[in-house]
């Protein structure tokens, strides 16, 4: 039952050990560490740190996420509708699943897909080949996609699952956030569900990746 409570707590936004412990009624982070470690070993949770700190032995910014997309959808979207699903026809239940809630769920998946794209693009030479690809954040900013080799940041980007085209404002925000990294002119990427404004396309300064680009045949390669 404690593991189920941990999944529910993370689905509701408690991602740090202390937050998870508080949400499920325990005294401190130490009370959930064994459970978190076991769930990570089983591949059901993922332990995430800022990619630029991946080699450090101790981390203050560790967060936990539900690793499996099916479980994440179940606890994030379906859990609160369990009673409705038990008694009601599917059409009535789905009426309550609005676009905003579904987009909030899919946006996190889209960030994961963006990091997968970076690995595939690096494999065919479109991006520098990194040693690690992950997220980055500090107390004020975050980036969805950062590729590193040693201490060097090779590329950085944002993945936008929005209904509006990405514009110059997003590029400016990306540049401001990248300036906080230990980076020397990394390759910039913007990934968008809904395309890009004409002004952004004219401005340049970043690779613009649409949905079709994510699975371009040019990214296919044979592993030998």
């Amino acid at each position: 039952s404690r593991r189920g409570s941990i999944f529910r707590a993370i689905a509701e936004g408690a991602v740090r050990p202390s937050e998870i412990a508080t949400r499920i009624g325990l005294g401190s982070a130490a009370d959930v560490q064994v459970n978190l470690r076991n769930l990570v070993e089983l591949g059901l949770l993922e332990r995430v740190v800022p990619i630029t700190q991946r080699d450090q032995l101790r981390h203050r910014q560790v967060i936990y996420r539900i690793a499996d997309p099916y479980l994440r959808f179940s606890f994030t979207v379906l859990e609160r509708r369990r009673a409705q699903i038990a008694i009601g026809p599917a059409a009535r239940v789905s009426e309550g699943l609005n676009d905003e809630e579904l987009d909030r769920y899919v946006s996190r998946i889209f960030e994961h897909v963006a990091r997968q794209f970076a690995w595939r693009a690096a494999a065919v030479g479109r991006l520098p080949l990194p040693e690690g690809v992950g997220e980055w954040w500090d107390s004020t900013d975050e980036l969805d996609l950062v590729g590193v080799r040693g201490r060097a940041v090779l590329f950085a980007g944002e993945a936008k699952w929005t209904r509006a085209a990405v514009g110059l404002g997003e590029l400016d925000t990306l540049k401001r956030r990248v300036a906080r990294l230990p980076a020397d002119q990394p390759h910039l990427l913007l990934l968008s569900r809904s395309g890009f404004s004409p002004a952004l396309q004219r401005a340049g300064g970043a690779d613009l990746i649409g949905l079709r680009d994510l699975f371009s045949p040019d990214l296919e390669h044979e592993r030998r």
Side-chain angles (χ1 to χ4, degrees):
S1 62
R2 178 175 293 184
R3 290 180 175 184
S5 297
I6 288 173
F7 281 124
R8 293 184 186 93
I10 295 174
E12 293 170 0
V15 295
R16 293 175 173 79
S18 59
E19 297 170 347
I20 296 168
T22 299
R23 186 68 63 92
I24 66 178
L26 298 177
S28 70
D31 296 323
V32 294
Q33 289 291 3
V34 172
N35 297 104
L36 293 174
R37 184 166 60 249
N38 289 343
L39 290 169
V40 170
E41 290 172 353
L42 289 169
L44 301 178
L45 292 184
E46 56 180 349
R47 181 180 183 272
V48 186
V49 300
I51 188 64
T52 53
Q53 301 177 20
R54 74 195 191 289
D55 295 330
Q56 296 181 14
L57 296 179
R58 297 180 65 86
H59 299 275
R60 293 184 177 181
Q61 294 179 285
V62 173
I63 64 173
Y64 288 85
R65 292 211 182 100
I66 301 173
D68 179 76
Y70 174 81
L71 279 179
R72 191 182 302 174
F73 185 82
S74 178
F75 280 97
T76 303
V77 178
L78 299 184
E79 180 72 15
R80 71 186 66 180
R81 296 175 170 85
R82 185 180 295 274
Q84 296 176 347
I85 293 170
I87 65 170
R92 290 295 307 278
V93 177
S94 64
E95 288 174 1
L97 180 58
N98 59 55
D99 291 340
E100 182 180 350
E101 182 181 1
L102 192 59
D103 282 347
R104 190 162 54 248
Y105 167 78
V106 176
S107 65
R108 183 66 70 179
I109 303 299
F110 188 51
E111 294 168 8
H112 178 67
V113 171
R115 291 187 285 273
Q116 291 179 323
F117 164 82
W119 277 117
R120 294 162 62 227
V124 298
R126 285 185 56 181
L127 290 173
L129 188 63
E131 294 173 350
V133 175
E135 305 163 60
W136 170 88
W137 67 91
D138 63 11
S139 59
T140 59
D141 281 318
E142 61 182 32
L143 287 165
D144 303 326
L145 164 65
V146 175
V148 298
R149 184 187 300 149
R151 294 181 177 273
V153 174
L154 304 179
F155 53 82
E158 293 274 57
K160 297 296 182 182
W161 188 258
T162 60
R163 295 176 181 274
V166 171
L168 287 173
E170 283 82 0
L171 178 59
D172 292 340
T173 299
L174 173 59
K175 290 179 178 179
R176 177 180 57 78
R177 291 175 176 174
V178 168
R180 300 175 64 90
L181 295 173
D184 182 18
Q185 295 184 332
H187 202 94
L188 301 182
L189 303 97
L190 284 169
L191 299 94
S192 171
R193 164 196 186 177
S194 302
F196 307 92
S197 71
L200 178 58
Q201 295 180 52
R202 291 192 299 268
D207 277 359
L208 306 181
I209 310 299
L211 292 181
R212 291 185 181 276
D213 301 318
L214 289 173
F215 303 101
S216 167
D218 296 339
L219 297 179
E220 296 177 1
H221 67 282
E222 183 178 0
R223 293 184 177 89
R224 297 185 182 275

